[in-house]
Amino acid sequence: MEGKMKVAVMEGIGKMGYLERDIPVPEDDEVLVKLEYVGICGSDLHYYETGRMGDCIVEPPFVLGHEPAGVVVETGKNVTHLKPGDRVALEPGKTCGHCEFCRQGKYNLCPDVIFFATPPVNGVFQEYAAHEAGLCFKLPDNVDTMEGALIEPLAVGFHAAIEGGARIGQTAVITGAGCIGLVTLLALKAMGLTNIIVVDIMQNRLEKALELGATAVINGKEQDTVQEILRLTGGRGCDISFETAGTNITTEQLIRASRKGSNIVLVGYSSDGMLTMPSGLALDKELTFKTIFRYRHIYPMAIDAVAGGKVNLKGIVTNVFDFDDIQHAMDASVKEKATIVKSVVKIC
């Protein structure tokens, strides 16, 4: 397929613009996808606000966006499981396939991963993308491409729940009710947990958590989080917890509110990449800390959970922006966190 496509680029900190580029040509093992929706992730906003995240530094013009879904329009000659017209969710990270981590099946730890919108690799705030066919997952008829774009963050939630050892009968606590906190809530519910407490300081996000099935919420600005968790658990403490806010305060709260011998899953990144915590108390309680990085082998499960009605994925979306309005989409997502929980961009 020949022609030009419109690409949204970050021209500098807090500044978006557009370029025209050639529509990519798929290689033999790739498909060309006409993108329909791309989610705005917290990492996109971090790059947009500061120009970097950890050691990853943006060099404009740079294309953000790594939560895509769309329709296959062309296939490479070696592709047999997809055809033009198929709707797909794109897993954004292409790994080497031969390092020790890939051979162990832990491909999310591959040191040579090429991941959309992780500098220097451009993302997919654009009209078309060519991507490895094995990383494009066909969507069932009852899962649309907006939901397909949200499979990426949902995969993070499922990976956190699985790595943490979540199981039926546990009382779980999630600190942070942004997108990742909410998809962790959805994943836990899909896995059968029925007692899930969500903590945040923004009331609109807590209301969204209740809407999505949290059994209780705590406003950390107005309530004593630790005391409320203990009260809600009859003084026992939580069985498993997920830190998605990325702060010292919330990490310490979970250590204090956790039952002895329980698991704490660290999901959120702190602003400076550092955490301080009462390690002595963690030792006394023999707590287990788990950390996660993205996900692995999760897309089929996540898609099946949405198709089977176990996950209300559209429920996390509060705002849909047109592709032509990308500057406003980014600015609003940064500045209006009191009302915006999750934004997606409608490409076409």
Side-chain angles (χ1 to χ4, degrees):
M1 180 177 180
E2 296 182 354
K4 298 290 185 179
M5 66 175 180
K6 186 175 184 179
V7 181
V9 296
M10 178 180 160
E11 299 177 335
I13 292 176
K15 184 178 180 181
M16 298 295 295
Y18 296 96
L19 294 176
E20 190 177 73
R21 292 179 177 167
D22 291 334
I23 294 174
V25 177
E27 296 183 2
D28 292 347
D29 295 314
E30 293 183 332
V31 294
L32 179 67
V33 179
K34 181 176 176 59
L35 300 177
E36 294 190 347
Y37 288 94
V38 180
I40 298 178
C41 178
S43 64
D44 295 320
L45 299 179
H46 204 76
Y47 288 132
Y48 181 69
E49 287 185 272
T50 67
R52 67 182 299 159
M53 191 167 72
D55 294 331
C56 294
I57 301 173
V58 170
E59 293 186 8
F62 184 70
V63 184
L64 298 167
H66 66 259
E67 301 176 359
V71 179
V72 174
V73 293
E74 189 176 322
T75 62
K77 67 177 184 179
N78 293 337
V79 178
T80 58
H81 72 287
L82 293 172
K83 64 183 185 303
D86 286 344
R87 295 170 306 109
V88 291
L90 285 65
E91 183 171 341
K94 181 180 179 179
T95 57
C96 75
H98 55 75
C99 70
E100 62 175 309
F101 302 105
C102 287
R103 292 198 307 270
Q104 293 169 2
K106 299 179 179 179
Y107 65 83
N108 58 316
L109 303 180
C110 175
D112 296 319
V113 63
I114 298 171
F115 198 92
F116 290 156
T118 300
V121 181
N122 279 305
V124 287
F125 278 147
Q126 57 193 42
E127 293 180 303
Y128 293 88
H131 199 46
E132 185 174 314
L135 295 172
C136 296
F137 295 85
K138 187 175 179 180
L139 299 173
D141 291 341
N142 64 336
V143 178
D144 63 30
T145 50
M146 180 189 288
E147 292 168 309
L150 298 169
I151 294 298
E152 200 277 341
L154 180 60
V156 176
F158 269 112
H159 188 50
I162 292 168
E163 290 299 297
R167 61 183 185 274
I168 293 173
Q170 290 178 320
T171 294
V173 172
I174 302 168
T175 53
C179 175
I180 296 302
L182 293 177
V183 292
T184 302
L185 164 65
L186 293 174
L188 292 172
K189 283 176 53 63
M191 293 171 67
L193 278 73
T194 58
N195 195 12
I196 306 169
I197 303 164
V198 178
V199 183
D200 204 288
I201 59 173
M202 296 184 186
Q203 191 58 35
N204 74 302
R205 296 189 173 203
L206 293 174
E207 291 169 1
K208 176 61 72 171
L210 286 172
E211 176 187 319
L212 293 174
T215 48
V217 296
I218 299 169
N219 189 320
K221 185 182 291 185
E222 300 173 359
Q223 298 168 283
D224 184 317
T225 297
V226 174
Q227 290 304 313
E228 276 298 297
I229 293 173
L230 293 175
R231 184 185 68 81
L232 290 166
T233 58
R236 186 171 179 270
C238 53
D239 300 302
I240 187 171
S241 58
F242 300 84
E243 203 302 295
T244 75
T247 72
N248 292 323
I249 292 173
T250 47
T251 303
E252 179 177 345
Q253 288 170 340
L254 291 180
I255 291 172
R256 296 191 181 282
S258 290
R259 179 181 59 80
K260 288 184 177 183
S262 62
N263 292 349
I264 296 177
V265 185
L266 301 179
V267 185
Y269 282 78
S270 63
S271 58
D272 61 0
M274 302 292 289
L275 279 177
T276 59
M277 62 181 74
S279 58
L281 180 59
L283 291 169
D284 291 344
K285 287 188 169 185
E286 202 173 89
L287 300 177
T288 297
F289 290 90
K290 298 283 290 186
T291 63
I292 69 153
F293 182 64
R294 296 174 180 157
Y295 38 78
R296 53 180 177 260
H297 311 295
I298 300 292
Y299 263 57
M301 177 200 318
I303 291 170
D304 186 67
V306 177
K310 293 184 177 180
V311 170
N312 172 22
L313 197 46
K314 281 186 178 178
I316 69 172
V317 176
T318 53
N319 296 76
V320 180
F321 294 94
D322 289 334
F323 188 41
D324 290 338
D325 203 19
I326 195 71
Q327 180 78 55
H328 178 222
M330 298 301 291
D331 287 341
S333 297
V334 168
K335 298 174 183 176
E336 299 175 20
K337 293 178 181 178
T339 55
I340 294 178
V341 177
K342 179 64 176 180
S343 300
V344 296
V345 176
K346 184 178 181 181
I347 303 296
C348 63

